[in-house]
Amino acid sequence: MTTHHSRRHAELRAKVNREREYPPHEAISLVKSLAGAKFDESVEVHVRTGLNVRHADEQLRGTIALPNGLGRDVKIAVFAQGAKATEAEQAGADVVGAEDLAKKIEEGFDDFDVAIATPDLMSVVGRLGRILGPSGKMPNPKVGTVTMDVAKAVQESKAGKVEYRTDRTAIVHLVIGKTSFAERQLLENYAAVVEELVRAKPSAAKGRYLHTITLASTMGPGVKVDPSRTRDIVEEAPAQQAAA
């Protein structure tokens, strides 16, 4: 199946050297310059790893607190009752409930980015696996979204804590901010993501770990980033670029 892009998209693609892997600060500058939509586009990073995700010990999953947040309000649904429900509401959760919330989601409600649950309600949440699983919203104790400390979980998610994991093709997809962010803010978020992925490298991983890294805005073309640049990313950026 052939994908047809608009003339504008083709013009933007022509401004990107498809064979070059740009230093991170240059890639971010280019992505910002290519954003021209009438809305504040998200900036996405796509990291193709060399992991064999069919093996349980080579799967990658965790959370990361982006230093400059996402530039948008993160909507949070919390499964809790009693005092914990009150705690979640006071911490800023957008929707709180138990059986009623589960029923609402089964009927099609999905206006939230993160789902958090207290352990006692996982029997209720469990039946939503086929709905929440594919969208990456299923609460999980490994990433801190199944917890009794719901206030902390809500506050961290609101502040820009995001979950990452490899998909079935071993790629990690993450939003690192908006095109309206200063280049330094995007660079700091990008650096935090790369440093976290390197830190979380599974011990069973073999061969090359980070194969390719691509940055793109919502409506813009992809820009390849040098995957070997994993340390001192912010420090390497020219002062005038980082401050832009």
Side-chain angles (χ1 to χ4, degrees), residues 24 27-35 39-46 66 69-72 162 173-183 185-187 189-190 193 213-223 225:
I28 283 170
S29 179
L30 186 54
V31 167
K32 275 177 62 71
S33 73
L34 296 175
F39 60 93
D40 191 8
E41 298 177 55
S42 293
V43 177
E44 308 158 0
V45 62
H46 307 276
L66 297 177
L70 290 171
R72 62 179 174 83
V162 294
H173 308 273
L174 273 175
V175 172
I176 61 167
K178 296 285 190 177
T179 51
S180 60
F181 278 26
E183 287 181 21
Q185 290 178 304
L186 288 170
L187 193 61
N189 280 0
Y190 172 83
V193 168
I213 301 178
T214 303
L215 282 169
S217 63
T218 306
M219 304 296 288
V223 176
V225 190

Side-chain angles (χ1 to χ4, degrees), residues 125-153:
V125 179
R127 69 173 190 256
L128 302 173
R130 60 185 176 78
I131 301 171
L132 299 180
S135 60
K137 296 178 183 178
M138 187 69 181
N140 188 306
K142 292 181 180 179
V143 296
T145 48
V146 176
T147 176
M148 287 302 288
D149 195 348
V150 291
K152 180 183 177 183

Side-chain angles (χ1 to χ4, degrees), residues 61-239:
R61 183 173 189 174
T63 59
I64 177 172
L66 297 177
N68 298 300
L70 290 171
R72 62 179 174 83
D73 181 37
V74 179
K75 294 186 177 180
I76 300 172
V78 177
F79 290 88
Q81 51 194 355
K84 288 297 171 182
T86 302
E87 190 179 308
E89 289 169 351
Q90 292 175 343
D94 296 273
V95 57
V96 180
E99 282 282 358
D100 55 331
L101 178 55
K103 186 172 186 295
K104 194 173 176 182
I105 290 172
E106 287 174 328
E107 292 172 350
F109 173 72
D110 66 352
D111 188 22
F112 57 95
D113 304 295
V114 178
I116 295 166
T118 53
D120 58 302
L121 284 181
M122 281 307 291
S123 58
V124 174
V125 179
R127 69 173 190 256
L128 302 173
R130 60 185 176 78
I131 301 171
L132 299 180
S135 60
K137 296 178 183 178
M138 187 69 181
N140 188 306
K142 292 181 180 179
V143 296
T145 48
V146 176
T147 176
M148 287 302 288
D149 195 348
V150 291
K152 180 183 177 183
V154 169
Q155 289 161 358
E156 287 182 341
S157 294
K158 285 283 186 182
K161 181 180 177 182
V162 294
E163 182 181 347
Y164 65 84
R165 63 176 175 175
T166 42
D167 66 10
R168 285 182 292 181
T169 58
I171 300 175
V172 176
H173 308 273
L174 273 175
V175 172
I176 61 167
K178 296 285 190 177
T179 51
S180 60
F181 278 26
E183 287 181 21
R184 186 178 187 87
Q185 290 178 304
L186 288 170
L187 193 61
E188 288 172 349
N189 280 0
Y190 172 83
V193 168
V194 173
E195 288 167 11
E196 168 61 17
L197 294 183
V198 170
R199 184 204 63 77
K201 178 182 178 181
S203 57
K206 304 175 186 68
R208 188 175 175 186
Y209 177 45
L210 303 180
H211 275 222
T212 64
I213 301 178
T214 303
L215 282 169
S217 63
T218 306
M219 304 296 288
V223 176
K224 292 180 182 177
V225 190
D226 183 352
S228 69
R229 306 282 185 97
T230 59
R231 300 179 65 185
D232 303 320
I233 291 170
V234 177
E235 289 74 13
E236 285 183 0

